[in-house]
Amino acid sequence: MAWLKSLIQLTVTKSSSIRARKTNPFPLPSLALIAQFSTAPTNETPRVTPYSGLGPAKPGEKPRVVVLGSGWAGCRLMKGLDTSIYDVVCVSPRNHMVFTPLLASTCVGTLEFRSVAEPIGRIQPAISREPGSYFFLSKCVGIDTDKHVVECETVTDGAESLDPWKFNISYDKLVIALGAEASTFGINGVTEHAIFLREVYHAQEIRRKLLLNLMLSDIPGVSEAEKSRLLHCVVVGGGPTGVEFSGELSDFITRDVRQRYSHVKNYIHVTLIEANEILSSFDDRLRHYATKQLTKSGVRLVRGVVKDVKAQKLILDDGTEVPYGLLVWSTGVGPSPFIKSLDLPKATGGRIGVDEWLRVPSVEDVFSIGDCSGFLESTGRPTLPALAQVAERQGKYLANLLNRIGKAGGGPADRAKDIEFGEQFVYKHLGSMATIGRYKALVDLRQSKEAKGLSLAGFPSWFIWRSAYLTRVISWRNRFYVAINWATTFVFGRDISRI
Amino acid sequence: MAWLKSLIQLTVTKSSSIRARKTNPFPLPSLALIAQFSTAPTNETPRVTPYSGLGPAKPGEKPRVVVLGSGWAGCRLMKGLDTSIYDVVCVSPRNHMVFTPLLASTCVGTLEFRSVAEPIGRIQPAISREPGSYFFLSKCVGIDTDKHVVECETVTDGAESLDPWKFNISYDKLVIALGAEASTFGINGVTEHAIFLREVYHAQEIRRKLLLNLMLSDIPGVSEAEKSRLLHCVVVGGGPTGVEFSGELSDFITRDVRQRYSHVKNYIHVTLIEANEILSSFDDRLRHYATKQLTKSGVRLVRGVVKDVKAQKLILDDGTEVPYGLLVWSTGVGPSPFIKSLDLPKATGGRIGVDEWLRVPSVEDVFSIGDCSGFLESTGRPTLPALAQVAERQGKYLANLLNRIGKAGGGPADRAKDIEFGEQFVYKHLGSMATIGRYKALVDLRQSKEAKGLSLAGFPSWFIWRSAYLTRVISWRNRFYVAINWATTFVFGRDISRI
């Protein structure tokens, strides 16, 4: 540390000698210098030229693939696109992909929010670097397939003083990967009072509400019934998301609430309401196991159909009233109003209809992948489930297809007509996994409910679940953070700061 | 891995055999079971008994110390209180302490938000465990020093359907540690348009706005002037917070924006506006060094006085208009309206006046520490600066004093009158530190501006700055995360997901 010592000696100041100076020896620049900033746009020079945008790619420029959406399908596609052939433009209201299978873990702090969010620039670096590739924080509001143009509108997320502005993007190839929306089945009050579990901000809202309710229930004067209501967490929907969230909640209660909210620990309960069976896509034996384990962890499994949702209670179809403090809704997904409004051929359930090559057959250069698309009836194929692995596989397939088309010279608009598309997309199910809390999980490696195959439950499954997802996390940064989060949750417990 | 193999073999399922069963072998409970939840409070049983609360400690119970606030002063006090003598009740609208010296680093993602937030239950575990100790997510709205009672109101943070409710807490000893508020000097528009940098949610807002502006400025059709405005980050106030934030911002621009927002990298600029001199509490030589380094990193240092703040521009007193996209305000602090409204003796600047033992002399059993308090004129002592180290030292001193009083039997209300208070509080300044970006910092170990002593700048200071704060972070969990965050920022860069 000799270098440090000598540096310190060098810098010892005799301030008293400096103090004598009256004038400031190093004045800041005067106001004159900042006159350069006075470039506030006046009324004559508009801030934004409305309906400008990216015009068609010129001869000699790379053809442009426009990707709508930044979920599993769109991101896997962008990752696979050959950016020496194409410019990539992504339009999405969020600048990151959510690693959805781990989202439930973030609601109670097992994982941090940022550990499951992957910026698009990290998935496809060309977006940040190439002069012709862009990410636009916007939503698509219209598609003109004749002119090969999408109309977009900026999303400013409530930031005051910024009116959304519109612009157009010409595409050579368009990929619609807009995903789906949580279904409410038209039940009153769901959108207003329940929280979905599809985006990072949903998980943040759940975490804040849970911690708020834990603290409110401790305030003097709160009645016993109100304490029970505040701390009653109700999950509607017994699919993997609902079950995983219930499992995480019960882990949080067992491990953290008992220690850190000891005054109210006996009031907190989790109820999972499902109209049919929980985890219906899994093996019967695994479902039995999950039911037993969840019940053992204190999760109340209830069969029921929700009829109405009020601010502090929900009503089942037999009239039973269930007061709640936190309501999480995860009953499946359906197409968004925008997808429904598109004048394109549709598949079962209102999804965009695609052929065996995932293209929209009636128009040129338009493809659709992920939860917003489905095979047309004419293909004779079944609609694929709304799963991350379907979306990811489609994204990968389409990236390869577009790369092949591009190499064959079919990249520019209207130039792919005579190109052989090659192999069709075939989906092979790799199996399902779900964690149920207490270091237990289910792994079902059968290709369908009817097939034979490996299915297992318990700690080994949990170990496989964690390992599998850790390797699937896209970037090394997030892989590292997921591992670190798991380790610190094990050692220190979950963080309960309400920030 | 033999155990794993055997477990997997054990659990291989022949699903086809199970498939034959027609009935569900493990039905969920019927609706009858959930009738127990139908305990929705009716109009006859109120949810909350208004103005109930914690009554005076009964004979045989531990005396109760009520702490208002959860900043440096209050938290250091709670940490030091002997919970075998006292019950501790903390009232604060946030359930964590913010490690303020590192808050500026979270705005651009050098550190994560949770790494600088310490839950109060981790600082004083008795709050979570002891039956008579509590944390209440509430604000204090009144103090009745005669009755030894504080009036509180819950803070529900915009959560709909929850009206704030009021309750009272009797105290044996009361510690007012409510901190201070950012000063706006009565300038129009500051509260509406500028962001302060005092709480975690401020840092979150800054990060979201910065990333939003980076993305908006990339949208087609945005004029050159509007791009420059959106990406003009203005910091008002050249104290340590303003300077550290400017340094972090310029690091973010140099390291991350150039790589990840290459389309707009030439439009982003940082301007630091200060009416007098930056870092006025530091050694002249260090200030000179900071000025040079900041300018080198591209921060424009400007001397000026802000007269008015509009939505997208601020106006200086000579009429210059400065358009901005992000405005951060850190010009010092003053007492909050609640502190001003209290009918207690006041010190200079409207702070609560205390004597040499940090008690409010005119009333029994009331103490005040941290930024909300100051020595009474009668003590002949100067007002101490609003610094973390002052607050922390006062918290530590008062914890020891209260423990001594408690051991001498003076814990209960009105029983400390005849107890010898012992040593007075004496503040000894340990020096100041500030980082200025680019692995550079200032360390000034002189006890006052006039004293001789060690002062140094550059990389060694930066190393000392990081080491010093790393050891000051309260919990091992956060110490670990701060180190990990620094390491991953170095290796992977900062995270730009806008979540």
Side-chain angles (χ1 to χ4, degrees):
Chain A
M1 299 297 276
W3 61 273
L4 185 61
K5 229 180 200 169
S6 65
L7 262 163
I8 291 176
Q9 277 168 353
L10 268 175
T11 50
V12 170
T13 311
K14 292 202 178 78
S15 301
S16 46
S17 67
I18 291 179
R19 190 161 51 101
R21 298 189 206 168
K22 278 266 149 97
T23 54
N24 180 9
F26 20 90
L28 294 179
S30 71
L31 292 172
L33 262 181
I34 58 165
Q36 55 179 303
F37 302 139
S38 299
T39 50
T42 60
N43 289 333
E44 294 94 57
T45 58
R47 292 170 187 275
V48 181
T49 316
Y51 288 104
S52 65
L54 297 180
K58 296 185 189 77
E61 285 183 351
K62 288 187 251 182
R64 184 184 300 139
V65 178
V66 174
V67 182
L68 307 180
S70 59
W72 281 90
C75 286
R76 186 61 189 82
L77 169 86
M78 286 189 273
K79 191 183 170 196
L81 279 180
D82 185 341
T83 53
S84 69
I85 303 176
Y86 291 109
D87 278 334
V88 184
V89 173
C90 178
V91 177
S92 171
R94 68 168 196 224
N95 81 338
H96 55 273
M97 183 194 135
V98 183
F99 195 84
T100 41
L102 296 180
L103 191 59
S105 302
T106 66
C107 301
V108 295
T110 311
L111 292 177
E112 277 315 317
F113 303 117
R114 257 165 221 286
S115 308
V116 305
E118 205 73 74
I120 293 171
R122 217 188 273 146
I123 294 171
Q124 175 48 270
I127 295 250
S128 329
R129 289 180 201 153
E130 294 288 317
S133 290
Y134 292 93
F135 169 78
F136 296 134
L137 192 77
S138 305
K139 60 182 181 186
C140 175
V141 292
I143 301 175
D144 187 331
T145 50
D146 291 334
K147 292 188 185 151
H148 275 58
V149 161
V150 288
E151 291 156 32
C152 304
E153 193 177 283
T154 53
V155 175
T156 51
D157 197 3
E160 104 278 22
S161 81
L162 288 164
D163 293 327
W165 64 74
K166 292 188 174 191
F167 59 98
N168 296 335
I169 310 169
S170 298
Y171 60 82
D172 293 290
K173 301 283 175 271
L174 176 66
V175 181
I176 307 172
L178 287 164
E181 272 192 3
S183 306
T184 63
F185 305 106
I187 299 166
N188 253 337
V190 177
T191 319
E192 293 86 342
H193 306 301
I195 310 177
F196 302 114
L197 190 42
R198 298 179 53 75
E199 302 283 350
V200 172
Y201 64 83
H202 293 143
Q204 288 171 323
E205 197 183 341
I206 291 171
R207 187 156 170 185
R208 285 180 62 80
K209 190 147 191 181
L210 187 61
L211 291 173
L212 177 66
N213 288 351
L214 274 163
M215 289 186 278
L216 280 182
S217 59
D218 208 8
I219 302 268
V222 179
S223 69
E224 294 289 299
E226 180 68 357
K227 272 189 207 191
S228 297
R229 178 191 76 78
L230 279 168
L231 296 181
H232 189 206
C233 307
V234 175
V235 184
V236 179
T241 307
V243 166
E244 292 197 340
F245 175 65
S246 306
E248 288 283 352
L249 255 182
S250 78
D251 274 3
F252 174 62
I253 294 168
T254 317
R255 167 87 196 263
D256 302 273
V257 174
R258 288 201 188 149
Q259 266 184 34
R260 298 182 196 180
Y261 294 96
S262 61
H263 305 124
V264 295
K265 66 181 180 213
N266 297 325
Y267 293 91
I268 189 162
H269 289 293
V270 183
T271 300
L272 175 61
I273 300 180
E274 165 61 50
N276 299 302
E277 320 216 347
I278 63 161
L279 298 173
S280 56
S281 67
F282 280 80
D283 188 298
D284 284 356
R285 199 186 49 82
L286 294 186
R287 278 184 6 242
H288 195 178
Y289 179 84
T291 308
K292 220 175 72 187
Q293 284 297 329
L294 285 172
T295 311
K296 223 168 160 182
S297 330
V299 176
R300 292 190 268 210
L301 298 171
V302 168
R303 179 168 299 201
V305 174
V306 177
K307 202 180 66 182
D308 197 7
V309 177
K310 308 271 185 204
Q312 307 189 350
K313 65 184 174 190
L314 56 82
I315 294 147
L316 298 179
D317 59 354
D318 69 341
T320 317
E321 297 192 349
V322 184
Y324 66 82
L326 174 73
L327 177 61
V328 174
W329 195 267
S330 87
T331 55
V333 294
S336 68
F338 177 70
I339 293 293
K340 282 184 202 154
S341 76
L342 286 177
D343 187 21
L344 294 173
K346 294 289 159 69
T348 336
R351 294 172 169 207
I352 296 172
V354 293
D355 67 10
E356 295 86 343
W357 294 273
L358 307 179
R359 62 184 169 181
V360 182
S362 54
V363 291
E364 271 308 306
D365 297 323
V366 180
F367 301 81
S368 183
I369 51 179
D371 296 357
C372 68
S373 73
F375 286 120
L376 283 165
E377 225 172 294
S378 58
T379 62
R381 296 187 180 195
T383 304
L384 295 172
L387 290 177
Q389 58 176 314
V390 174
E392 204 197 4
R393 229 73 64 71
Q394 291 184 331
K396 190 179 173 186
Y397 166 86
L398 188 56
N400 291 333
L401 178 60
L402 289 177
N403 289 343
R404 239 182 8 254
I405 292 172
K407 269 179 203 146
D414 291 316
R415 289 265 289 281
K417 283 172 196 158
D418 307 321
I419 288 173
E420 183 55 59
F421 270 37
E423 268 179 47
Q424 302 182 351
F425 174 75
V426 178
Y427 175 68
K428 191 159 172 275
H429 188 64
L430 288 184
S432 315
M433 294 195 283
T435 165
I436 48 176
R438 292 160 56 111
Y439 306 111
K440 304 274 195 305
L442 315 176
V443 173
D444 190 344
L445 298 180
R446 298 167 308 142
Q447 285 190 31
S448 71
K449 276 201 85 167
E450 288 71 33
K452 281 190 188 185
L454 190 71
S455 71
L456 64 162
F459 181 78
S461 295
W462 178 84
F463 191 82
I464 292 172
W465 179 86
R466 282 220 164 166
S467 317
Y469 280 131
L470 195 57
T471 58
R472 304 299 293 159
V473 170
I474 291 164
S475 70
W476 279 103
R477 183 199 173 277
N478 279 6
R479 207 168 293 159
F480 177 72
Y481 267 109
V482 167
I484 291 282
N485 289 163
W486 277 337
T488 52
T489 295
F490 187 77
V491 177
F492 301 108
R494 294 165 179 86
D495 186 72
I496 54 162
S497 300
R498 185 166 179 269
I499 58 173
Chain B
M1 299 298 274
W3 61 272
L4 184 62
K5 229 180 200 172
S6 66
L7 263 163
I8 293 176
Q9 277 170 352
L10 267 175
T11 51
V12 171
T13 311
K14 291 204 178 76
S15 301
S16 47
S17 68
I18 291 179
R19 191 163 50 101
R21 297 189 204 168
K22 278 266 151 99
T23 54
N24 179 6
F26 22 87
L28 295 179
S30 71
L31 293 172
L33 262 180
I34 58 162
Q36 55 180 303
F37 301 138
S38 300
T39 50
T42 60
N43 288 335
E44 294 94 56
T45 57
R47 291 168 188 275
V48 182
T49 316
Y51 289 103
S52 63
L54 298 179
K58 297 188 188 77
E61 284 181 352
K62 288 187 250 180
R64 182 185 301 139
V65 178
V66 174
V67 182
L68 307 180
S70 59
W72 281 90
C75 285
R76 186 62 188 82
L77 169 87
M78 286 189 274
K79 191 182 172 199
L81 279 181
D82 185 340
T83 52
S84 69
I85 303 176
Y86 291 108
D87 277 333
V88 184
V89 173
C90 178
V91 177
S92 172
R94 68 168 196 224
N95 81 337
H96 55 274
M97 184 196 134
V98 182
F99 195 84
T100 41
L102 297 180
L103 190 59
S105 303
T106 65
C107 301
V108 295
T110 312
L111 291 178
E112 276 315 318
F113 303 117
R114 257 164 222 288
S115 308
V116 304
E118 204 74 73
I120 294 170
R122 219 188 273 148
I123 294 170
Q124 177 47 271
I127 295 250
S128 327
R129 290 182 199 151
E130 294 287 317
S133 290
Y134 292 93
F135 169 78
F136 296 133
L137 191 78
S138 306
K139 61 181 180 186
C140 176
V141 291
I143 302 175
D144 187 330
T145 51
D146 290 335
K147 291 189 185 152
H148 275 58
V149 162
V150 288
E151 291 155 33
C152 304
E153 195 177 283
T154 53
V155 175
T156 50
D157 197 0
E160 103 277 24
S161 82
L162 287 165
D163 293 326
W165 63 74
K166 292 189 174 190
F167 59 98
N168 296 334
I169 310 170
S170 299
Y171 61 82
D172 293 291
K173 302 282 175 271
L174 176 67
V175 181
I176 307 172
L178 288 164
E181 271 191 5
S183 306
T184 63
F185 304 107
I187 299 165
N188 253 338
V190 177
T191 319
E192 293 85 343
H193 306 301
I195 309 177
F196 301 113
L197 189 43
R198 299 180 51 76
E199 302 282 350
V200 171
Y201 65 83
H202 293 142
Q204 288 171 322
E205 198 184 340
I206 291 171
R207 187 157 170 183
R208 285 180 63 81
K209 191 147 191 181
L210 186 62
L211 292 173
L212 177 66
N213 288 351
L214 275 163
M215 289 186 278
L216 280 182
S217 59
D218 208 6
I219 302 268
V222 178
S223 69
E224 295 288 299
E226 179 69 355
K227 269 189 208 192
S228 297
R229 179 192 74 78
L230 279 169
L231 296 181
H232 189 205
C233 308
V234 176
V235 183
V236 179
T241 307
V243 167
E244 293 198 337
F245 175 65
S246 306
E248 288 283 353
L249 254 181
S250 78
D251 275 3
F252 174 63
I253 294 168
T254 317
R255 167 85 196 262
D256 302 275
V257 174
R258 289 203 188 148
Q259 268 186 34
R260 300 185 194 177
Y261 294 95
S262 61
H263 306 124
V264 295
K265 67 182 179 213
N266 297 327
Y267 294 90
I268 189 162
H269 289 294
V270 184
T271 300
L272 175 61
I273 300 179
E274 164 63 49
N276 298 302
E277 321 215 348
I278 63 161
L279 298 173
S280 56
S281 67
F282 281 80
D283 187 299
D284 284 354
R285 199 185 51 81
L286 294 185
R287 276 183 8 239
H288 195 178
Y289 180 84
T291 307
K292 220 176 70 188
Q293 284 297 328
L294 285 172
T295 310
K296 222 170 163 182
S297 329
V299 176
R300 293 191 266 211
L301 297 171
V302 167
R303 179 168 300 199
V305 175
V306 177
K307 202 180 68 182
D308 196 6
V309 177
K310 308 268 185 208
Q312 306 188 352
K313 64 183 174 191
L314 56 82
I315 295 147
L316 298 179
D317 59 354
D318 69 341
T320 317
E321 295 192 351
V322 184
Y324 66 82
L326 174 73
L327 178 61
V328 174
W329 195 268
S330 87
T331 56
V333 295
S336 68
F338 177 69
I339 294 292
K340 283 185 202 153
S341 76
L342 286 177
D343 187 20
L344 294 172
K346 293 288 159 68
T348 336
R351 295 173 167 205
I352 297 172
V354 293
D355 67 10
E356 294 87 343
W357 295 273
L358 307 180
R359 62 185 169 180
V360 181
S362 56
V363 291
E364 271 309 307
D365 297 323
V366 179
F367 302 80
S368 183
I369 51 179
D371 297 356
C372 68
S373 73
F375 285 119
L376 283 166
E377 226 173 291
S378 57
T379 62
R381 298 189 181 194
T383 304
L384 295 172
L387 291 176
Q389 59 176 314
V390 174
E392 204 197 4
R393 230 73 63 70
Q394 290 185 330
K396 190 179 174 189
Y397 167 84
L398 189 56
N400 290 332
L401 178 60
L402 288 177
N403 289 343
R404 236 177 15 249
I405 292 172
K407 270 179 202 145
D414 291 316
R415 290 264 289 280
K417 282 172 198 160
D418 308 321
I419 289 173
E420 184 54 59
F421 269 36
E423 267 180 48
Q424 300 182 352
F425 173 76
V426 178
Y427 175 67
K428 191 159 171 275
H429 189 64
L430 289 184
S432 315
M433 294 194 284
T435 167
I436 49 177
R438 294 159 54 109
Y439 307 110
K440 304 275 193 304
L442 315 175
V443 173
D444 189 344
L445 298 179
R446 299 167 309 143
Q447 284 190 31
S448 72
K449 275 199 87 167
E450 287 71 35
K452 282 189 187 186
L454 190 71
S455 71
L456 63 162
F459 181 79
S461 295
W462 178 84
F463 191 80
I464 293 172
W465 179 87
R466 282 221 165 165
S467 316
Y469 280 131
L470 196 57
T471 58
R472 304 298 296 158
V473 170
I474 291 164
S475 69
W476 279 103
R477 181 196 175 280
N478 279 7
R479 207 167 293 160
F480 177 72
Y481 266 109
V482 167
I484 291 282
N485 289 163
W486 277 336
T488 52
T489 295
F490 186 77
V491 177
F492 301 108
R494 293 166 180 85
D495 187 72
I496 55 161
S497 300
R498 184 165 180 270
I499 58 174

